[in-house]
Amino acid sequence: MRASTARRTAPQTLEERYRQVRALTNALAEPLSDADATLQSMPDASPAKWHLAHVTWFFETFVLRDHVPGYRLHDDRFPFLFNSYYEAEGQRHARPRRGMLTRPSLDEVLAYRAAVDAALIAALPDLPPEAQALVTLGCHHEQQHQELLLTDILHGLSCNPLQPALWPGERKVPVRMPGPIGWIEGANGLVEIGHDGDGFAFDCEGPRHRELLHPHAIADRTVTNGEWAAFIADGGYADPRHWLSDGWAWVQGEGIEAPLYWERDGEAWTRFGLDGRRAIDPAAPVTHVSFYEADAYASWAGGRLPTEAEWESAAAGHASDSGNQLDSAGPVEPRPAASGPAFFGDVWEWTGSAYRPYPGFRPAEGAVGEYNGKFMSGQFVLKGGSCATPRGHARPSYRNFFYPHQRWQFTGVRLAKDL
């Protein structure tokens, strides 16, 4: 399957939604060998095989086991192997050792997926509303893992000296560099952010509440590879004036000199992507940069990172299913921006806001309440979705979050400034 720019018609029923999500995950994993699917290249990443099984365990545990009388687990050993972090569900295999799971095989994991699919689809018409709500949650959960599946595969393949491509890519056509960044004057005063209750949202997106904004402007596009190369050429990675103390310690300790997957080729730069190693596209959004790098670049450029409230307020009038997002299996990479402001797609955008609970936040009841709230410590919010985010998954209130040193996701930078 090749990536498509055509938007898919929104599913009309929960069954159609479920089938679509599950089919896309299988399609993304289709090019993988059993060895590819078992690889775990670092503790932050998980094997593709584990992703395929974990999202299936979610449906089997919280829907079939808990809401379908007489349901028997596909394999009694799988809850220990494929639970992620749900303490209420008991002991589990250690995350850094997921790559040791040479068994079950990829074929066995795919058979597990098929068995759970058949059982859930058969049970769906008779499920109570609370169980159907869990199916909806599970679909959004699996979409998150579709993106993680791709970014974890990318990191794993980058560690192979052959640097193989997951999908063959077409030869790139040079694109004219965009003009200088334009500035959009932001709202001033009290604004409302957070989910408004219309449609699905994760618990951490609410409650909707008011935030006070001061005079500011936000960039009409994200920072490009060409602009980032200028930052490097000007000694940006070697100048402590631009770096937070923790960021400077990280750069020095890890020997960081460029975004993840960048390598020098003479005087030029190349990057590794899911289509293999290629010359960087100067017009495309820079990606695979940490919060520390994003903050340092903003300082060097004379700006700052937007706050979560500034970003969400500016993006509220833009279609969240627009831009370069994941439609189907195929080459996935940030592309040069189209004309006009774009807030969704290509790269997740770091904000300067800590991932903390909104006023009045309450986690969901039961084990699924462990989904977001317990991670509200030491991480920063990202907004907007990326080229690997399934289309229709993002929205202005969506709160992605990672630790400030992490950069294996499709993360990029949009500048803001005070007025």
Side-chain angles (χ1 to χ4, degrees):
M1 297 173 65
R2 298 301 304 275
S4 170
T5 57
R7 297 183 189 177
R8 293 171 177 263
T9 301
Q12 299 300 305
T13 68
L14 183 55
E15 179 181 334
E16 289 172 339
R17 169 77 168 163
Y18 178 84
R19 287 181 182 273
Q20 178 194 357
V21 169
R22 299 286 283 176
L24 178 55
T25 307
N26 287 348
L28 295 173
E30 187 175 359
L32 302 177
S33 68
D34 193 282
D36 292 332
T38 305
L39 176 66
Q40 182 179 26
S41 52
M42 63 170 175
D44 284 339
S46 293
K49 190 164 62 176
W50 186 90
H51 285 296
L52 293 166
H54 165 70
V55 293
T56 305
W57 167 86
F58 187 98
F59 286 113
E60 183 180 46
T61 299
F62 298 123
V63 179
L64 296 176
R65 185 199 67 184
D66 291 352
H67 294 278
V68 177
Y71 178 80
R72 297 184 61 182
L73 294 180
H74 180 78
D75 190 312
D76 292 338
R77 303 168 299 174
F78 284 6
F80 177 81
L81 296 182
F82 302 126
N83 179 6
S84 54
Y85 49 71
Y86 294 91
E87 298 289 346
E89 288 298 321
Q91 296 295 311
R92 58 205 172 277
H93 185 61
R95 176 175 179 172
R97 296 182 61 80
R98 289 172 183 168
M100 302 301 291
L101 299 177
T102 57
R103 309 288 177 88
S105 68
L106 177 58
D107 285 344
E108 289 173 305
V109 167
L110 294 174
Y112 175 40
R113 289 178 61 86
V116 168
D117 286 348
L120 192 142
I121 290 169
L124 196 55
D126 299 319
L127 289 177
E130 62 269 24
Q132 294 201 9
L134 287 168
V135 175
T136 299
L137 173 62
C139 288
H140 288 269
H141 169 248
E142 181 148 344
Q143 286 185 309
Q144 291 179 316
H145 279 270
Q146 287 167 351
E147 181 156 8
L148 289 168
L149 177 76
L150 291 175
T151 53
D152 291 358
I153 290 170
L154 172 59
H155 190 272
L157 294 178
S158 77
C159 297
N160 186 326
L162 300 178
Q163 297 204 316
L166 181 64
W167 296 295
E170 298 175 357
R171 184 180 181 87
K172 299 295 185 296
V173 178
V175 175
R176 180 182 297 177
M177 285 291 292
I181 284 176
W183 295 95
I184 304 168
E185 187 171 345
N188 184 21
L190 286 173
V191 298
E192 288 193 347
I193 68 166
H195 193 253
D196 61 8
D198 182 19
F200 175 85
F202 292 109
D203 57 4
C204 65
E205 296 177 54
R208 192 164 177 82
H209 63 286
R210 293 186 297 176
E211 295 273 357
L212 177 63
L213 299 186
H214 299 282
H216 71 282
I218 191 167
D220 64 351
R221 62 169 174 82
T222 55
V223 174
T224 66
N225 286 323
E227 290 165 335
W228 200 273
F231 170 63
I232 297 173
D234 194 46
Y237 279 89
D239 189 342
R241 293 178 301 165
H242 304 308
W243 293 83
L244 297 169
S245 177
D246 287 349
W248 184 244
W250 173 76
V251 162
Q252 295 293 293
E254 300 294 326
I256 306 297
E257 297 179 335
L260 185 63
Y261 307 132
W262 281 35
E263 289 184 2
R264 284 195 184 274
D265 183 9
E267 295 300 313
W269 288 99
T270 66
R271 58 85 181 148
F272 182 74
L274 290 165
D275 58 350
R277 181 158 293 283
R278 296 171 180 267
I280 65 166
D281 183 344
V286 69
T287 191
H288 303 300
V289 294
S290 68
F291 171 84
Y292 293 140
E293 291 166 284
D295 187 81
Y297 179 92
S299 172
W300 173 81
R304 60 173 174 80
L305 299 180
T307 68
E308 180 176 17
E310 289 170 346
W311 191 101
E312 188 170 329
S313 177
H318 296 262
S320 58
D321 63 348
S322 62
N324 174 26
Q325 301 182 47
L326 180 67
D327 289 297
S328 62
V332 173
E333 65 171 332
R335 301 173 190 156
S339 60
F343 283 88
F344 294 93
D346 284 308
V347 293
W348 287 101
E349 300 173 20
W350 285 107
T351 73
S353 297
Y355 177 58
R356 292 290 294 148
Y358 285 158
F361 168 76
R362 295 290 183 273
E365 296 292 331
V368 294
E370 299 186 52
Y371 198 88
N372 289 303
K374 71 181 187 180
F375 298 110
M376 292 175 171
S377 174
Q379 307 197 60
F380 283 83
V381 174
L382 300 100
K383 306 288 275 188
S386 81
C387 55
T389 303
R391 192 176 302 281
H393 182 67
R395 53 198 158 268
S397 62
Y398 197 105
R399 308 181 78 196
N400 201 356
F401 51 93
F402 285 99
Y403 290 102
H405 68 281
Q406 293 175 317
R407 58 184 191 154
W408 90 108
Q409 298 300 305
F410 286 99
T411 50
V413 186
R414 183 186 300 269
L415 297 176
K417 65 180 180 180
D418 297 317
L419 294 179

